[in-house]
Amino acid sequence: MKAIIEELADKYVATLKGEMDTAAAMETEEVLKPLYNSKGKDVVIDCSGLEYIASSGLRILLSILKGAKANGSRVVLKDVNDDIKNVFKLTGFISIFDFE
Amino acid sequence: MKHLFGWLRKHLVIVIIILAAMLLELISAIQYRYARDLLEQELEKSCFYELTSSALRIQEKIAEAEVVVGNQMWHIRRHLQEPDYIVELAANMVKDGGINIIGGGAAFKPNYFPSKGFYYEPYAHKTKDTVIISQVGSEQHNYFQSPFYMAAMRGDTTKWTTPYLDREGAHGIVTTYALPILDHNNISVGALFVDLTTDWISEVVNERHSYTSSFVLVLSKTGELIASPADSLADPALVKKIVEMVSDSTVVREKKENGHITGFAFEDEDGEKGHVYHAFRRYEPLWQMVMVCYDKEVFGKLDKMRHRLILLALFGLAVLGLIIQLFVKSHRKLQKAEVTQERINGELRVANRIQQSMLPPNHLHRQDLDICGSLVPAREVGGDIFDYYIRDEKLFFCIGDVSGKGTAAAMLMGVIHSMFRSFSLRENNPARIMQSINELSCQGNDSNMFVTFFLGVLDLPTGRLRYCNAGHDSPYIIHNSQLLSLNCFAHLPVGVLDDIKYSMQEIQLQPDSTIFLYTDGLTEAMDQEHKQYGLKRVEAVLSSLADKNSEQILEEVTKAMHEFVKDAKQSDDLTMLAVRYIPHSFESMLTETLVLKNDIREVSKLSSFMKSVTEKINLEVSLSSQLRLAVEEAVVNVIDYAYPMGTEGEVEVCMMFNGQSLKIMITDCGVPFDPTAKEKADTTLSAEDRQIGGLGILLVRELMDSINYEREEGKNILTLIKTIRN
């Protein structure tokens, strides 16, 4: 599991790669923590390399979303594969995130 | 028009009464008219009779006087030359005449007896005890001008004078009867006469009358009053008025009796009406007879009767009206009650539908279960209930009977039913569910109703039956023609005391066993002689039904019961529930086990373990990924919750495949932890409202076909099943 975040002028871009199981989510959370407060900037999360996500991963995404919403900015998930999208569907997350 | 009909309908009673009153009045008026006519005829008859008889009585006296004069005339003519003897004869005539002849004498033409002078009128006057004879003729009493003398001398046919006041002879009101005295040459030489008083006339004609207020007047030919009753019997003013009316030609008269009698109506000063009948005497003197009678006396009784009849009729009608009114009122009330009853019945039918719709389907057929239930309320709604549903591979079922019947019982049952459903949603222990139901039922149970309730939880993978019985009839277990009454603790029914501790009991159900539950509507069903069907008969039927399915069992029991009670009316709600347990064993072709420490980092091991198993059974990648996610979530849950912080333990993941389904058993030795009892996360909330927790178990439920938790021998066992191929 690999996670990188980049802060651009108008947005944050995070890239997730590999399988984010429960153990991986614990480590990844440390990397993604700055996104919990995006200071009003939109957050784009590139999921093209994400192969698997467990509920702990979803919880991190939810925390980022809550932070962004509080500041009026958006969270966009890019290139989510079908299996993972199914997980979003089952949990009802599909309706609270923006997908591209 | 419509308005009028409406008014008529509304005031029907009054209309009927008014019509009836009018009809009665019409009949009464006709009757009155008829009766009055009859009475009037009767009155006339009696008046005519009285007039005739009065006239006759007068005639007697008149004739007496005429005879006396006639008889004496013969003597007088023989002694016409003896003036002194004539005096004697005249005295005899008065003496012999009746008491009403007060005097009499002879009056001769001037100088007939030269010895006696120019005037000669010997006169005998009768006093109380003697007859005084005197010669009354003189210059002062020039009898030649007297009407009786002049009439006699002229030979008039009228021989009676109009009554007059005689100052010389009789000294009172008299009427004089005079005949001419004829000499041998049949030349009138004088008059022989008697004076008749008139005071007797009134007595004679008013001797007696059919009507006490009636009286008779006698008038002279020219209309002067001759006789009238005493003032006490007849009002002088009225008498005067009648006398005037008799002579008044303008008064309208009716002729009766061939014109002999005429009649006319009068009204006195007080406005009292009456009739007058009037006739002339047929013989001399030609007096007028007048009969006066008051209508009041004649028709008074009739009028009184009519008034009484009308009053009576009105009273009767009022009573009738009242009765009709009461009748109509009670009829309307009854109609209203019927409408109300119909409404209540309608509502009860709705209540019945609602109650029936709260029940689960009557049948459930699953690979491992065959359920049939029935509820027949004695009334529209009942206080019985049965329910069942499956959650996480556990069958929750119950049967109950509220004390009492009808609506109140049904309402309480509805409440108990919802409590059963909601408390069993996150609780597998039947005693704890019962406890919660009881505590809540006791709150505000002012009507002191209670419920006998049996609650069972059948773990379908293992056949373990956990149950708790609150005072209900023990269910039966039918297995291989053996009938076993389920051993139940004697708990008080639900709703009696709020601090009861309910205990759970547990048995292992054998495959192909049937649990039969019922309410006392079965055992206490009565035939027409009030004999109860009884437990023994139920048991006898049940023991013969081991090989039957649940539907057949219910059919057979019902049939046998009906054969017993025959046509007797169902007196209590009848509820039965049969649960047949037919588990299928899971014959694993492939079994793989992984043991993990209670450390989140160990979860990564799952990835390769799952991959190797799913590859062995040729599972496609995305399905494999789903299974991995479900198992990971379940395992993480166990690690997080089954082991308190700082304690070490293990989690065993065992995967089995029988060619169709994957069965994953996750076992740990931690504290009892039932993830199925956790509240399901709400997936419809917005981002702001979404909670962090509950996602894991939600994913497990969504991804797997079934999830089942059991605590066995100090271990938590979570079983997940997913059907891969059909």
Side-chain angles (χ1 to χ4, degrees):
Chain A
M1 177 69 204
K2 238 179 149 183
I4 311 160
I5 55 169
E6 266 181 281
E7 188 175 0
L8 303 181
D10 57 340
K11 62 187 173 189
Y12 282 100
V13 178
T15 312
L16 305 175
K17 264 188 186 168
E19 297 184 344
M20 182 146 68
D21 63 13
T22 311
M26 285 173 73
E27 292 157 18
T28 312
E29 188 174 12
E30 294 303 317
V31 180
L32 296 179
K33 241 176 192 166
L35 297 182
Y36 286 0
N37 184 1
S38 58
K39 301 169 213 156
K41 289 181 183 172
D42 287 352
V43 179
V44 178
I45 300 169
D46 181 359
C47 300
S48 55
L50 190 65
E51 292 158 13
Y52 175 88
I53 190 163
S55 67
S56 45
L58 293 176
R59 275 194 283 272
I60 295 168
L61 294 181
L62 182 63
S63 298
I64 294 170
L65 180 67
K66 284 194 173 198
K69 287 246 169 179
N71 291 312
S73 51
R74 299 167 66 214
V75 175
V76 179
L77 304 181
K78 272 182 79 178
D79 303 323
V80 182
N81 78 31
D82 288 346
D83 283 344
I84 292 174
K85 218 166 206 173
N86 187 43
V87 176
F88 275 84
K89 260 185 211 160
L90 296 175
T91 52
F93 275 31
I94 193 122
S95 59
I96 56 177
F97 283 96
D98 291 330
F99 293 87
E100 272 182 9
Chain B
M1 202 66 182
K2 215 173 167 184
H3 183 74
L4 179 70
F5 276 126
W7 187 89
L8 279 177
R9 263 179 65 157
K10 200 175 169 192
H11 301 277
L12 189 63
V13 178
I14 294 169
V15 172
I16 287 174
I17 295 300
I18 288 174
L19 284 177
M22 282 164 73
L23 193 66
L24 268 175
E25 169 55 23
L26 184 68
I27 292 169
S28 155
I30 291 169
Q31 266 186 343
Y32 176 74
R33 197 65 252 167
Y34 183 68
R36 202 181 158 105
D37 283 351
L38 278 180
L39 269 179
E40 215 169 295
Q41 284 174 21
E42 207 53 39
L43 168 73
E44 280 180 2
K45 264 188 201 162
S46 88
C47 286
F48 298 163
Y49 170 76
E50 281 187 23
L51 274 181
T52 316
S53 68
S54 296
L56 276 174
R57 282 200 291 279
I58 291 174
Q59 185 60 35
E60 270 174 38
K61 308 283 179 187
I62 296 288
E64 219 176 83
E66 287 177 348
V67 167
V68 164
V69 175
N71 286 347
Q72 215 61 294
M73 183 60 83
W74 186 75
H75 296 290
I76 298 276
R77 285 186 71 182
R78 281 185 59 194
H79 303 280
L80 203 54
Q81 305 312 315
E82 302 156 64
D84 294 321
Y85 187 57
I86 285 173
V87 174
E88 224 169 287
L89 288 175
N92 287 343
M93 179 178 73
V94 171
K95 233 185 271 177
D96 297 345
I99 53 157
N100 299 314
I101 295 175
I102 195 164
F108 289 94
K109 62 182 187 181
N111 274 324
Y112 186 69
F113 297 110
S115 59
K116 295 295 174 186
F118 190 76
Y119 304 96
Y120 186 61
E121 187 188 5
Y123 186 79
H125 174 62
K126 193 156 56 180
T127 61
K128 225 175 186 180
D129 30 42
T130 179
V131 172
I132 301 159
I133 301 165
S134 54
Q135 206 287 105
V136 293
S138 66
E139 251 174 83
Q140 287 77 34
H141 178 67
N142 182 1
Y143 58 85
F144 305 132
Q145 303 300 319
S146 293
F148 78 90
Y149 177 82
M150 288 164 74
M153 291 308 281
R154 281 195 306 267
D156 283 0
T157 46
T158 306
K159 293 171 175 68
W160 287 89
T161 65
T162 302
Y164 61 97
L165 178 65
D166 183 8
R167 291 198 180 81
E168 295 298 320
H171 305 287
I173 291 175
V174 292
T175 176
T176 304
Y177 178 72
L179 288 178
I181 303 168
L182 301 172
D183 64 8
H184 301 298
N185 300 316
N186 276 343
I187 292 166
S188 298
V189 294
L192 182 68
F193 66 94
V194 287
D195 286 338
L196 202 62
T197 57
T198 54
D199 48 7
W200 54 273
I201 299 173
S202 176
E203 275 171 40
V204 164
V205 296
N206 287 307
E207 215 167 56
R208 59 171 189 279
H209 294 296
S210 313
Y211 305 104
T212 51
S213 63
S214 303
F215 57 88
V216 172
L217 303 174
V218 181
L219 270 61
S220 71
K221 192 179 167 187
T222 50
E224 286 103 19
L225 183 64
I226 297 171
S228 69
D231 291 357
S232 59
L233 294 173
D235 176 19
L238 178 66
V239 170
K240 194 171 167 235
K241 184 178 180 179
I242 300 287
V243 170
E244 279 165 12
M245 284 178 89
V246 168
S247 305
D248 186 351
S249 59
T250 61
V251 173
V252 182
R253 289 148 209 268
E254 260 185 275
K255 289 193 171 181
K256 320 252 176 188
E257 300 283 296
N258 299 325
H260 293 307
I261 297 174
T262 56
F264 59 87
F266 74 91
E267 196 170 308
D268 74 5
E269 286 173 325
D270 302 328
E272 286 289 349
K273 289 178 178 169
H275 276 79
V276 172
Y277 296 98
H278 166 257
F280 277 97
R281 272 174 48 79
R282 292 187 189 195
Y283 310 104
E284 280 279 323
L286 296 175
W287 293 339
Q288 306 180 53
M289 309 292 293
V290 178
M291 173 110 199
V292 180
C293 40
Y294 274 102
D295 286 358
K296 192 168 86 178
E297 191 178 353
V298 182
F299 304 113
K301 278 185 184 162
L302 184 68
D303 288 346
K304 220 176 200 173
M305 196 168 82
R306 180 165 143 78
H307 291 146
R308 279 191 190 155
L309 265 176
I310 288 175
L311 279 178
L312 199 71
L314 283 178
F315 175 73
L317 283 174
V319 171
L320 186 72
L322 204 69
I323 291 168
I324 294 176
Q325 184 69 42
L326 284 175
F327 177 77
V328 167
K329 221 172 174 179
S330 78
H331 180 71
R332 282 194 185 139
K333 224 172 175 178
L334 206 69
Q335 262 184 340
K336 217 170 165 185
E338 266 170 29
V339 171
T340 312
Q341 188 59 48
E342 190 41 49
R343 188 173 53 76
I344 291 172
N345 285 349
E347 280 171 13
L348 281 175
R349 279 194 290 277
V350 174
N352 172 266
R353 277 205 295 279
I354 290 172
Q355 202 180 29
Q356 291 290 337
S357 70
M358 289 197 310
L359 298 177
N362 280 351
H363 303 283
L364 174 80
H365 293 290
R366 244 175 71 134
Q367 213 173 11
D368 51 353
L369 271 180
D370 162 34
I371 300 176
C372 185
S374 99
L375 191 159
V376 185
R379 299 185 196 165
E380 280 81 359
V381 288
D384 273 11
I385 190 84
F386 75 87
D387 192 20
Y388 63 83
Y389 75 100
I390 296 163
R391 168 174 74 75
D392 300 332
E393 292 308 289
K394 283 182 165 57
L395 174 74
F396 292 79
F397 62 101
C398 69
I399 190 163
D401 181 2
V402 179
S403 59
K405 289 188 277 284
T407 322
M411 286 172 79
L412 179 57
M413 202 69 254
V415 173
I416 300 278
H417 179 216
S418 358
M419 284 198 249
F420 163 72
R421 281 279 178 145
S422 53
F423 289 133
S424 60
L425 218 52
R426 283 190 293 281
E427 178 58 71
N428 295 339
N429 185 322
R432 278 196 220 128
I433 299 170
M434 191 74 90
Q435 193 94 28
S436 304
I437 294 176
N438 183 52
E439 278 164 16
L440 204 56
S441 307
C442 286
Q443 285 175 22
N445 182 8
D446 294 333
S447 55
N448 289 321
M449 294 181 88
F450 60 86
V451 191
T452 64
F453 204 63
F454 179 93
L455 206 161
V457 181
L458 176 62
D459 186 62
L460 295 172
T462 60
R464 207 170 276 137
L465 172 64
R466 301 190 177 94
Y467 59 93
C468 179
N469 188 5
H472 196 81
D473 293 303
S474 294
Y476 286 102
I477 308 284
I478 312 166
H479 178 65
N480 285 347
S481 75
Q482 271 190 335
L483 192 66
L484 169 77
S485 177
L486 199 61
N487 172 35
C488 295
F489 295 145
H491 287 132
L492 278 175
V494 167
V496 179
L497 286 171
D498 59 358
D499 57 353
I500 299 175
K501 291 275 167 268
Y502 287 97
S503 321
M504 185 187 82
Q505 289 173 275
E506 184 176 332
I507 63 159
Q508 178 63 47
L509 212 58
Q510 297 304 313
D512 298 324
S513 296
T514 302
I515 315 165
F516 178 80
L517 305 101
Y518 62 96
T519 58
D520 56 13
L522 175 65
T523 49
E524 290 171 12
M526 284 185 282
D527 65 6
Q528 274 161 334
E529 278 95 49
H530 296 286
K531 213 154 75 186
Q532 290 193 348
Y533 186 48
L535 208 56
K536 285 210 170 122
R537 290 190 183 86
V538 175
E539 283 177 357
V541 176
L542 286 178
S543 359
S544 64
L545 302 174
D547 53 343
K548 301 276 198 270
N549 68 30
S550 63
E551 194 176 347
Q552 289 166 329
I553 290 174
L554 254 56
E555 267 172 21
E556 292 293 323
V557 172
T558 309
K559 205 174 98 191
M561 189 268 286
H562 279 154
E563 275 168 15
F564 175 80
V565 299
K566 297 208 171 67
D567 294 330
K569 195 172 174 281
Q570 185 188 344
S571 59
D572 198 358
D573 306 334
L574 171 60
T575 306
M576 291 182 280
L577 177 65
V579 179
R580 191 168 171 81
Y581 177 58
I582 11 176
H584 58 285
S585 50
F586 192 94
E587 281 163 27
S588 182
M589 297 154 47
L590 174 79
T591 306
E592 300 273 340
T593 307
L594 172 72
V595 178
L596 300 171
K597 288 205 180 90
N598 64 330
D599 185 342
I600 290 298
R601 280 167 295 190
E602 293 272 293
V603 170
S604 311
K605 291 181 184 168
L606 265 177
S607 174
S608 50
F609 171 70
M610 293 293 290
K611 264 178 201 155
S612 79
V613 176
T614 52
E615 270 167 20
K616 276 180 194 163
I617 55 175
N618 281 329
L619 217 55
E620 53 167 310
V621 181
S622 73
L623 192 54
S624 164
S625 169
Q626 283 178 25
L627 281 171
R628 176 190 164 192
L629 179 57
V631 175
E632 181 184 331
E633 295 297 344
V635 169
V636 168
N637 239 305
V638 171
I639 293 172
D640 279 349
Y641 298 106
Y643 292 106
M645 276 291 222
T647 55
E648 280 194 9
E650 286 181 338
V651 183
E652 184 195 276
V653 180
C654 177
M655 294 191 72
M656 289 166 276
F657 183 64
N658 68 352
Q660 276 188 323
S661 302
L662 252 179
K663 179 170 166 179
I664 303 141
M665 291 173 74
I666 300 160
T667 314
D668 68 79
C669 302
V671 294
F673 168 68
D674 179 5
T676 64
K678 280 183 106 177
E679 196 167 355
K680 212 172 150 189
D682 188 346
T683 58
T684 61
L685 293 175
S686 65
E688 290 85 346
D689 296 330
R690 282 299 296 258
Q691 297 298 309
I692 298 292
L695 278 177
I697 198 70
L698 171 72
L699 281 170
V700 177
R701 284 185 192 282
E702 294 291 338
L703 295 170
M704 303 304 288
D705 290 341
S706 79
I707 172 171
N708 174 262
Y709 169 81
E710 274 286 286
R711 176 87 182 167
E712 214 174 305
E713 294 161 4
K715 288 177 180 171
N716 294 314
I717 303 167
L718 191 68
T719 309
L720 313 177
I721 292 174
K722 180 84 177 174
T723 302
I724 310 295
R725 302 181 189 109
N726 287 322

